[in-house]
Amino acid sequence: HLTRQLAIARRLPKGVTPVFATMSQGFAVVQQAGFEVEYIPFVTQSGYDMALWDVWFADQLCQIIDNHRVSGLVFDGVTPFGGLIEALRRRNNISAAWVRRSMWR
């Protein structure tokens, strides 16, 4: 996911500053590429159950959106988490896109 997102970030027009929010423990790759990154531990690393993690995840995303003045969000994954959907509901003034693998084998 990170390499796909890095490819997108490198091709953004001037004036668009990407900020990565990732659950990947490989987040240092993003830093080394010169982009800002926020690491959010996945549920299995958090110690929370899924329901509590979704609430916490939504809170984390909302803080990132607010702190970085995010105007657009790109999700790269298999299925959007409940916390992501909740964050987008709370911050309904931002655009969102879903990048995902093709559906064929």
Side-chain angles (χ1 to χ4, degrees), residues 41-49 52-53 56:
F42 187 57
V43 64
T44 54
Q45 281 82 42
S46 71
Y48 295 134
D49 66 19
L52 186 56
W53 181 82
W56 178 79

Side-chain angles (χ1 to χ4, degrees), residues 4-24:
R4 213 175 8 248
Q5 291 287 50
L6 279 169
I8 292 168
R10 287 183 176 122
R11 289 164 179 82
L12 290 172
K14 290 186 187 257
V16 177
T17 306
V19 176
F20 286 72
T22 183
M23 292 172 265
S24 172

Side-chain angles (χ1 to χ4, degrees), residues 36-77:
E36 192 158 350
V37 62
E38 301 272 356
Y39 173 68
I40 303 172
F42 187 57
V43 64
T44 54
Q45 281 82 42
S46 71
Y48 295 134
D49 66 19
M50 191 66 188
L52 186 56
W53 181 82
D54 266 331
V55 172
W56 178 79
F57 183 58
D59 291 341
Q60 296 300 304
L61 286 176
C62 285
Q63 286 179 19
I64 291 167
I65 289 166
D66 295 345
N67 290 342
H68 294 280
R69 297 183 181 135
V70 171
S71 60
L73 184 144
V74 178
F75 172 73
D76 187 333

